[in-house]
Amino acid sequence: MAKAKRKNAGPKRDVYAEITNQIIAAIEAGEGEPVMPWARPDFAIHMPRNVASGNVYNGVNVIGLWATAMVREYSEGLWGTYRQWKAKGAQVKKGEKGALAIFYKQLEAKEEATNNSGDGESDDNQRRFFARASTVFNVAQVEGYEAESDERKQSEIEPCEAAEAAIAATGAEIVVGGTRAFYSRSTDKITMPDRELFTGTQTMNATESWFAVLLHELTHWSGAAHRLDRKFGEKFGDDAYAMEELVAEIGAAFLCSTLGVSIEPRADHAAYIGHWLRIMKGDSKAIFTASSQASKAANFILQ
C-alpha cells in the first residue's frame, strides 16, 4: 500500500537558491558598481570559524557568511548555532536573525531509493549527498560569551612571510618579469611582473598586493591536469572560462584570509562581476561549485 502523502506540506526549501540570493544581494549592496563580498576595502575578512569545533567553515559557507557579515557589519568571524552558543554559556539576543549555513548528509541506499527531491550532489566516488540547512549566529548577536583561553591566537608570523613560505612549499615555477600576471597551462609556469610595479593602498601595502595577485595565479596553477584536474567545459560550456576565473578569485580570497594578507578589488576583474552575477542568477548551484573547487585549491596549495 502506498504511503500517504503528508497533508499541508509546504514548498520544499531550496537552500541553494537561498544562499545564492544572499550572496547576490551582498554583491549588489551599496552604491556604485557591484563588488564581491571579500573584496570590499571597508570590510576585513576573517575565515569564518565555528564556536563549537573551532574549525573554519568550507566552500560556499565561507562566501555566504562573509556576505552576511559584510551586510550586517560584523567585525568578527565566529559563528555557531543556537544550541552551540547555549553550550558555551551564551544566549542569542532576542530578535536576532541568523544566517544560513549548509552541511551535506550522505544518503543510505534505502533512503536514496525513496528520495526524489533532486537537490543531491555526487563526489568522485559517486556517493550521494544532500544539502541540509542550518541557522548560525555571529558572536556579535549573542550575550554572555567569554572567549576560551585555548582559542586560536593571531599568528605572530608576518602575513607576507607566511605567504612567501606557503608559495615556496608548493614548488610552483614562478618567472618574474614583464608587466602581466598569468599562468600558462602549456608551460606550467606562473609569470609575475616585478614587485616594484605594484603600489600600495589605504588597506594593503605593495608587497601584499603582489602576493594577492600571485595567490590568484597559484589557484589557476592548482587546476592543472596532473594536480586537481579542474574542468568546467562540460557543465558550463561558454561560461567555463568565467567559472575558472571565479574559482581563482575565491581561492585567492581564501588563501589571503588564511595567511593574513589584505585583499582589495582587482581592476582587471571588474569586467567579470557582471558575468558571474548572470551565471549565479541562472544557476543557483554555480557558486556552490566554484566555492567547493576554490576550497579544494586552497587546501591543496596550503598542504
Side-chain angles (χ1 to χ4, degrees):
M1 182 176 179
K3 186 176 180 181
K5 291 185 178 180
R6 182 163 54 92
K7 292 182 179 180
N8 301 322
K12 189 178 187 304
R13 187 175 195 183
D14 188 343
V15 295
Y16 294 101
E18 287 186 52
I19 292 180
T20 295
N21 290 337
Q22 174 180 299
I23 294 168
I24 289 172
I27 295 172
E28 295 179 333
E31 300 177 357
E33 295 295 324
V35 179
M36 305 308 278
W38 56 85
R40 290 183 181 271
D42 57 345
F43 175 59
I45 59 172
H46 308 276
M47 288 299 283
R49 184 163 48 92
N50 181 265
V51 68
S53 67
N55 296 330
V56 296
Y57 288 87
N58 285 313
V60 77
N61 285 329
V62 179
I63 305 301
L65 294 178
W66 274 347
T68 299
M70 186 201 73
V71 170
R72 300 183 189 176
E73 299 183 347
Y74 298 147
S75 60
E76 299 294 333
L78 193 61
W79 300 80
T81 65
Y82 185 93
R83 289 184 178 181
Q84 287 172 338
W85 284 117
K86 189 174 182 179
K88 294 289 184 179
Q91 178 65 45
V92 175
K93 299 174 187 176
K94 186 177 180 180
E96 290 290 346
K97 183 180 179 181
L100 277 182
I102 66 163
F103 62 95
Y104 286 93
K105 176 184 177 184
Q106 183 176 352
L107 287 183
E108 302 295 336
K110 186 184 296 184
E111 199 175 0
E112 183 173 0
T114 58
N115 192 309
N116 60 0
S117 61
D119 62 348
E121 297 285 347
S122 298
D123 67 2
D124 295 337
N125 297 318
Q126 296 304 307
R127 294 175 297 180
R128 295 287 292 173
F129 296 86
F130 278 75
R132 294 292 180 263
S134 178
T135 302
V136 294
F137 299 88
N138 187 268
V139 65
Q141 297 176 279
V142 305
E143 297 175 321
Y145 174 68
E146 294 184 6
E148 298 176 3
S149 59
D150 61 346
E151 283 192 352
R152 184 179 305 180
K153 295 181 179 179
Q154 182 69 29
S155 173
E156 295 180 358
I157 301 175
E158 286 293 326
C160 292
E161 291 180 14
E164 188 90 68
I167 292 165
T170 67
E173 187 170 354
I174 301 167
V175 179
V176 178
T179 59
R180 293 176 56 225
F182 62 93
Y183 165 67
S184 170
R185 284 185 177 270
S186 62
T187 63
D188 197 31
K189 295 179 182 178
I190 295 171
T191 298
M192 284 290 295
D194 291 322
R195 297 193 190 198
E196 290 74 17
L197 296 179
F198 287 77
T199 58
T201 68
Q202 291 183 343
T203 58
M204 68 189 303
N205 60 42
T207 303
E208 285 181 304
S209 178
W210 192 84
F211 278 115
V213 173
L214 178 50
L215 291 171
H216 177 101
E217 301 306 333
L218 198 62
T219 306
H220 282 310
W221 169 90
S222 74
H226 58 294
R227 295 187 186 98
L228 296 179
D229 194 21
R230 195 165 52 243
K231 297 186 181 76
F232 292 114
E234 293 181 6
K235 183 174 181 180
F236 290 97
D238 293 341
D239 290 327
Y241 184 82
M243 281 294 291
E244 171 61 22
E245 283 299 325
L246 182 56
V247 169
E249 183 87 352
I250 296 172
F254 288 174
L255 290 165
C256 284
S257 180
T258 300
L259 296 168
V261 176
S262 298
I263 188 169
E264 280 196 353
R266 283 181 57 175
D268 58 333
H269 285 176
Y272 285 110
I273 296 179
H275 203 153
W276 294 333
L277 280 170
R278 181 183 61 76
I279 294 173
M280 283 188 274
K281 289 177 179 179
D283 182 354
S284 63
K285 293 185 180 181
I287 190 65
F288 285 73
T289 300
S291 300
S292 174
Q293 293 299 321
S295 278
K296 290 178 182 178
N299 291 337
F300 177 84
I301 289 166
L302 293 173
Q303 288 171 1

